[in-house]
Amino acid sequence: MTAIECTESSACARTKPARLSNQIAGGLVLAGLSASALAAALGTAPQASASCASFFGVGNSSDCVSTATSIAIALGPGARAYALGSLGSAVAVGALSYASTDANTVLGTASALGNGAGAYVANGARMTSAFAVGTHAAAVINGGLLNQAVALGDNTLGYVNTSGSGGLVGGNLAVVIGNSRHLAQATADGSGNVAVSIFSPSSAKDFGSNVVASGTFNVAASLLSRDSQVFAGYGAKVLAGTRNAAFSIFGQGNDIAAQGPGTILVSVLEHAATTIRQGPGLTINGVNLLGRPPVQQSGTTSPAATTKTGARERRTPATGKPATTHGAKSGRRATPRSR
């Protein structure tokens, strides 16, 4: 992607909060996206002092820049707003908050409300909106058409990426709702994808809660499921799948990966469960209902039937043989076995 920078005022370039820069870069590596370019774009943040506003190119300063068709408003110590695109707006409210729309964007809005919050619309995006509310919340859109990135809560990140998809594609939605002790992320990468994380915080480390929908027409959702990794169309050698859905609901510490094509995975009330599925089919709580069995299943302490030793037994319709799972999750997904 191109660097998110101010082209009309050199004084406003490379001024995003350092803590936010490091968090976003780390998360994008985890999601398999382009971290190096975004990390270089975000830079570090010198302290500024005054609030400012710039309307339609009038009132430009080092902290607020607008064009003839845009509006920039920054309120709070160190707040900065740069509306460099056409027919757009950038609003930053809070200490060290930052909002930016790139010069080649059209009808883009970036709104960051909260101390250290950031909202970015970049790389030629059209008719898109990045909206972040909360301390160290961030919403980022990298290219495309009709994309929405929303982060509502402390230490949240909503990210939409279309720069590697070719052409002006989009229609993606990435939403994170709920405060988190460490950074929690939802990423929609490609076209027609939905990634949703609702009250699914990261308890122990950044990106412990990570939801990724990558490719075309994928849905990934973590609903009241803390510290869970939920991938649709993404994982192992699959980086951009088609027509997949993955859900972790009322769980904790789960790894759910619908790699597809045409995979549906659902985990409800499971703890430390790993289910990875390739190819068409439906699996719910490890029970295979349609298609071939998952390529990997392991450790769950779901309230569902367990043996006396605590290992859960699942029988697949294809073989009728038990696929017993053992122990707690190691915290790192293993490479799926080839079939």
Side-chain angles (χ1 to χ4, degrees):
M1 61 175 283
T2 58
I4 305 173
E5 61 182 5
C6 298
T7 58
E8 299 186 17
S9 171
S10 59
C12 72
R14 302 176 62 82
T15 56
K16 294 79 174 176
R19 181 173 185 271
L20 182 62
S21 304
N22 296 334
Q23 288 177 321
I24 292 177
L28 299 186
V29 170
L30 186 59
L33 304 177
S34 176
S36 59
L38 192 56
L42 293 181
T44 57
Q47 179 75 31
S49 57
S51 299
C52 59
S54 177
F55 298 92
F56 310 115
V58 178
N60 286 349
S61 65
S62 62
D63 298 329
C64 289
V65 177
S66 67
T67 67
T69 59
S70 67
I71 295 173
I73 300 172
L75 301 175
R80 296 169 184 267
Y82 306 113
L84 305 179
S86 300
L87 301 172
S89 66
V91 178
V93 179
L96 289 175
S97 58
Y98 187 97
S100 171
T101 62
D102 262 9
N104 56 350
T105 61
V106 178
L107 288 170
T109 62
S111 302
L113 311 178
N115 294 338
Y120 316 94
V121 176
N123 204 27
R126 301 288 191 270
M127 291 185 284
T128 59
S129 176
F131 186 64
V133 179
T135 300
H136 300 299
V140 181
I141 293 178
N142 182 27
L145 175 69
L146 294 172
N147 292 311
Q148 305 291 320
V150 179
L152 302 179
D154 297 347
N155 298 309
T156 55
L157 168 60
Y159 184 89
V160 171
N161 180 61
T162 61
S163 64
S165 304
L168 194 61
V169 298
N172 298 286
L173 174 65
V175 177
V176 186
I177 298 175
N179 294 338
S180 180
R181 181 184 298 272
H182 299 273
L183 205 65
Q185 172 181 251
T187 294
D189 182 15
S191 184
N193 299 293
V194 176
V196 177
S197 176
I198 297 179
F199 300 116
S200 299
S202 297
S203 299
K205 62 181 181 179
D206 286 347
F207 308 104
S209 177
N210 192 27
V211 180
V212 179
S214 177
T216 306
F217 302 125
N218 299 285
V219 177
S222 182
L223 309 176
L224 288 88
S225 187
R226 67 173 58 240
D227 301 313
S228 294
Q229 309 283 308
V230 184
F231 296 161
Y234 178 84
K237 296 181 179 180
V238 179
L239 300 180
T242 303
R243 299 184 307 278
N244 302 289
F247 302 92
S248 180
I249 304 170
F250 297 112
Q252 181 175 350
N254 295 322
D255 268 349
I256 308 298
Q259 298 177 0
T263 297
I264 301 175
L265 282 183
V266 181
S267 171
V268 183
L269 292 172
E270 290 194 300
H271 177 209
T274 294
T275 307
I276 300 174
R277 184 186 179 97
Q278 297 171 349
L282 169 64
T283 300
I284 299 177
N285 278 28
V287 178
N288 195 59
L289 301 179
L290 292 173
R292 299 176 67 184
V295 297
Q296 182 176 330
Q297 295 175 187
S298 65
T300 175
T301 55
S302 165
T306 58
T307 67
K308 291 182 180 180
T309 61
R312 181 173 177 181
E313 184 174 273
R314 298 169 176 166
R315 292 183 179 271
T316 65
T319 64
K321 297 179 180 180
T324 304
T325 61
H326 302 278
K329 191 177 70 171
S330 65
R332 181 180 180 89
R333 182 183 295 121
T335 302
R337 297 191 299 271
S338 59
R339 297 190 60 85

